[in-house]
Structures are given as C-alpha cells and as structure tokens.
Amino acid sequence: MIFRKGRVLRATFGCNPNSSSLGVDVTFLLFGAIFASALALMLGALLRRPRTP
Amino acid sequence: MKLEVVRARAERFGGIVEVARPRALLHVDREMMRELGQPHSPLWDSAAPDDAPLVAPTEVHVVLSRRCAAGCTGCYVDATPDGAALSLDEARRILDELAAMGVFHVALGGGEALELDYLFEVAAHARAVGITPNLTTSGLGLGVREAERCRVFGQINVSVDGVGDAYRRVRGFDGFRHAERALRLLRAVKPEVGVNCVVSRSSFDGLAEVARLVRRMRLNELELLRFKPVGRGARLGEELTPDQGRRIYPLARRLMLRHRIRVKLDCSFAPMVFWHRPSARAAAFWGVQGCVAGDVLAAVAPEGHLTGCSFAGPPEADARVPGAARAAWSEGFASFRSFVRSAPEPCASCEYLRLCRGGCRAVAEAHGAFSAPDPGCPRVQEWTARTAGRGQVAGGGSFALPVVRG
C-alpha cells in the first residue's frame, strides 16, 4: 500500500476587515506556481511537525 | 517551528484549518485532516464536486449600522447620523449562529462602527465564541482610550482614499487628519493596522501618496478597493476608466515593490488582474478569486438581511432568526453560485472563469443585469467593442461604460 501524505491546497494569510477584499494579494501573486508548490510542501511539513516540549 | 491549529472545519475537499502564527487559513485535503487528528467527517464519504460551495462562509461582513456623521458623498450604505443599527443582543445572537456554522472571521463595519457604544462588546463576544473580529473605520472619534480597546480586533483598517486635500476631494469631507491620527494611535497599540483605499476615477492618481503613507507609518497592508456604483456612489460617475482598469494591477505591483508594503486588491478587481494572465495555479493556491459571495463570503445588513455580499444580491434570510442563516446557506445564494455554470460570453470561453467568476456582481447589477459579465473587465470591454464592430479599445479612451441606473 502506498502511503499518501496530506496536502495544503490553498493558503490565505492575514485577516480581512472589509466587505469584499478576499481578493488578490499582489504580494504573493508575484511569486509563481513553483513558489506556491514549494510553500504548500513547507506548510504541510510545519503542520505535521510534532510539538516541541 | 510548528504551525499550531487553532480551529478546523471539515469541508468536502478535506477541511480548512486556522493557524495563529502566521495568521492564516489553510485549505487542506482529507488526508491532511486525518494526519492532523481531525475526526472523520461524513462529507468525506463521497467525491467532492468541483463547484460545491463551502459548507459555511469563512468570513461574514457584519454591517452593524447605517449610522455615521461623516456624510461621505459616495457612501455605499447611505449612512446617516441616525441610520438603522443592529442592537447588541441581535449582534450577539448572529455571532452565536455564525460561530456554530464554523465561520472564522467577521469584518465589522458600517456606517461608522465606532459610533456604536457597544462595538467593543460585540468584538469581545466574537472572541468569546471563537471568531476573529476585524474592523474598518474612518477613524473619526477614535481617541487614546478607544485605540487601546482596539487590541481586541484582528486586523483594523482605516479608510484613507487620498492624502491631505485629496482625501476631502474624494470623500467630500475633510477627514484626513482624523484618519492619520487614528492610524498613529492604533499603530502604537498593535501591528495589524492597515489602510483601505477606494480606487475611483478621482483617487487613482493619488495611490502612490497613499502607499507612501502606509510605508511611513509602518502599517501592515494597503487594501485597494474598487469603487462600486452602489448606495450614494451610484450617482458619482467615479468608476475606473478602461485605461485605469488595465493599469491597476501593474500599479499595485509597482507600489508593493517600491514601498516594500503588502498590497491587496479586492475581489472585484479580479477581472483586471486576470487580464494580465498571471499563473492560474498560483492564483488558485493564494485564494485569488473574483466574486466570492455565497461561497467564501456572506454579509449581514443592519436590518438583519443575510446576503451574499454587502453590495449586491437578494436577502436570503433574516440572520436574526435562529437557524435561518444556516438553512439559507445550504440551499440559497443561487444567483451568485450559478454564474460559472451558466456564464455568458465572453466569460464562458475565458480560461480564468472558475477563478474570476465573472467579476463583480454588484457592478454588473448596477449596470443593469446581475448575471451579466462585469462591464469593467478589460476582456469584456474588448469583446463588446469587437462584437459591436467598433474596433479595438486597447489604450483605453474610446470605450464608454454603460449608464448606471439612478
């Protein structure tokens, strides 16, 4: 059996104080799909990481 | 470093987890939810349809009142000094309901929410039921004491549509000094303070000044919000010109790089962004979307109406009635949710349709048809010009936006 690790599919940072600003974070959109994929892996690893005592 | 999960909610695709540092909402697949020790959800027993809405909004815009003394010429909610407001009890009950649905954030606004003497009680109640309260304010009436109490909020943005006299020209009252003072007081007590700037035909050329202000005051974000012809704004003729529509995304990137600030564009700007053909995969990962009403977002009006967004859409329920919001969410919001499935041209053939969702429904409605493509979209403008046999509109000037209903 192949063990498949879970994935992070989407990330939105910060909080939105507005009626309609769940839109485009220009800061992140500057970085392309490769950066997004790498970050998804990193976020997944940090989510799984055991809590340090 | 470990990302600590503060809250999690099951979704058909897996779930949404909230982490506190850095503050983020992460969509994860079913396997990741299991790895994180989340209980099995019946939602995972069948395949997830591609176009299924979320089981609840992640964020709800709660318009606490239509009460504001400023009298801005373009106020979206027609606020007046004695406008309608939700009572404290009603606001608490609505927050209880939203918490039970699994909502993560509320955006509190008005009117001027700071004019309500129970605003901080509403915010404290949101915290108590596990929702992060965020606030938009003009800063009018904010003193040292109020600023200190604003620690309860997550993000606070102060509306600044121009610097100095440009503020008065755009908003119709001289409030820049108040806004600047509010930013200074708020920034002294918390780092999550930013600026909201409505981008209109008149304010467009002053955006660089606003970005400089954000940098100078060490604020954490500049949110550029597209002017929408609703409320008192419907009669102003302040929508962006086609040329400005094409320039807004490159301009936002330039401001970000030049001033080293975080710049966000609201969801109604999505067509102007996708016209520049960014990576669709990256956009999907960063949650860059067009109209998110009835999916990620809902709104509650001071009269209790639950709508897809605070600018448009029919009332789906009375949010003050227990259980009404939850029932409406599972069955309602068809006018927003059906757009992608039944999109007309030129949206139907657009490769970004699933992300862009046809742009802003509020703007489309203001121009006559809720389910029409956003008339501010450059692709729509080009298509309209072609089909009308009027030639290309590249470069801007000749395309005329349809007349907004009075």
Side-chain angles (χ1 to χ4, degrees), chain A residues 3-37 39-40 43-52, chain B residues 1-4 23-29 31-32 35-36 59 61 107 134-136 155 157 196 223 228 249 253 256 262-267 279 281 284-289 296-297 310-311:
Chain A
F3 177 72
R4 191 177 78 79
K5 280 193 169 179
R7 291 182 304 143
V8 174
L9 308 170
R10 178 189 294 183
T12 52
F13 289 92
C15 289
N16 169 41
N18 298 294
S19 50
S20 61
S21 67
L22 295 159
V24 181
D25 195 319
V26 180
T27 317
F28 295 124
L29 203 52
L30 269 187
F31 309 108
I34 294 172
F35 179 78
S37 302
L39 191 79
L43 290 171
L46 293 174
L47 274 173
R48 280 188 211 97
R49 193 169 182 179
R51 187 176 290 130
T52 46
Chain B
M1 177 184 169
K2 172 174 171 53
L3 293 180
E4 294 288 352
R23 203 188 292 260
L25 291 179
L26 306 177
H27 289 217
V28 301
D29 65 6
E31 191 53 47
M32 180 64 90
E35 286 183 58
L36 295 174
E59 175 179 322
H61 179 215
N134 305 292
L135 178 70
T136 290
Q155 177 76 28
N157 280 12
N196 280 355
E223 298 225 14
K228 299 166 190 75
Y249 178 51
R253 283 188 307 197
M256 183 203 102
R262 185 180 188 200
V263 180
K264 289 166 79 179
L265 296 172
D266 80 357
C267 51
S279 158
R281 259 182 68 204
F285 181 77
W286 298 119
V288 175
Q289 289 173 291
V296 175
L297 183 72
S310 48
F311 299 106

Side-chain angles (χ1 to χ4, degrees), chain B residues 40-291:
Chain B
H40 177 83
S41 167
L43 294 168
W44 303 342
D45 293 336
S46 55
D50 277 350
D51 58 350
L54 300 178
V55 298
T58 58
E59 175 179 322
V60 175
H61 179 215
V62 181
V63 185
L64 287 170
S65 83
R66 298 185 195 279
R67 197 171 294 171
C68 178
C72 294
T73 49
C75 180
Y76 292 141
V77 300
D78 275 323
T80 58
D82 53 1
L86 286 168
S87 70
L88 174 58
D89 275 350
E90 288 170 339
R92 280 182 180 146
R93 280 204 303 274
I94 290 167
L95 288 169
D96 290 342
E97 176 95 4
L98 299 179
M101 290 171 70
V103 170
F104 293 97
H105 300 165
V106 288
L108 301 177
E112 176 47 70
L114 277 171
E115 287 188 14
L116 303 174
D117 55 10
Y118 51 82
L119 170 65
F120 295 104
E121 287 173 79
V122 173
H125 190 76
R127 287 284 187 194
V129 297
I131 295 178
T132 304
N134 305 292
L135 178 70
T136 290
T137 174
S138 67
L140 281 176
L142 187 115
V144 175
R145 233 180 101 243
E146 290 80 13
E148 188 62 37
R149 297 181 76 187
C150 280
R151 289 182 196 273
V152 68
F153 294 106
Q155 177 76 28
I156 304 179
N157 280 12
V158 176
S159 302
V160 180
D161 298 346
V163 172
D165 197 47
Y167 184 110
R168 184 192 53 75
R169 285 198 301 274
V170 172
R171 290 178 77 102
F173 82 104
D174 190 9
F176 177 71
R177 279 183 301 108
H178 297 280
E180 192 179 30
R181 178 169 185 269
L183 284 168
R184 200 168 50 248
L185 293 173
L186 290 167
R187 187 62 189 82
V189 298
K190 69 199 298 317
E192 300 97 348
V193 179
V195 157
N196 280 355
C197 180
V198 175
V199 184
S200 63
R201 195 170 293 198
S202 301
S203 71
F204 190 91
D205 290 336
L207 295 183
E209 278 296 309
V210 180
R212 267 192 285 277
L213 176 81
V214 169
R215 170 70 179 170
R216 177 166 57 81
M217 302 194 78
R218 296 183 300 113
L219 308 177
N220 76 338
E221 68 177 28
L222 168 60
E223 298 225 14
L224 301 178
L225 310 168
R226 180 178 167 194
F227 176 85
K228 299 166 190 75
V230 300
R232 290 202 285 268
R235 289 176 281 278
L236 291 184
E238 278 289 346
E239 286 183 82
L240 297 186
T241 66
D243 181 54
Q244 288 172 330
R246 287 163 176 73
R247 285 165 50 204
I248 184 65
Y249 178 51
L251 174 62
R253 283 188 307 197
R254 266 202 313 281
L255 295 176
M256 183 203 102
L257 293 170
R258 182 173 302 165
H259 300 287
R260 298 191 297 280
I261 57 174
R262 185 180 188 200
V263 180
K264 289 166 79 179
L265 296 172
D266 80 357
C267 51
S268 62
F269 273 128
M272 290 78 160
V273 171
F274 289 125
W275 187 73
H276 291 275
R277 307 182 59 81
S279 158
R281 259 182 68 204
F285 181 77
W286 298 119
V288 175
Q289 289 173 291
C291 180

Side-chain angles (χ1 to χ4, degrees), chain B residues 301-326:
Chain B
E303 297 79 11
H305 301 148
L306 178 75
T307 55
C309 106
S310 48
F311 299 106
E316 302 280 350
D318 185 340
R320 298 169 299 182
V321 176
R326 184 189 288 269

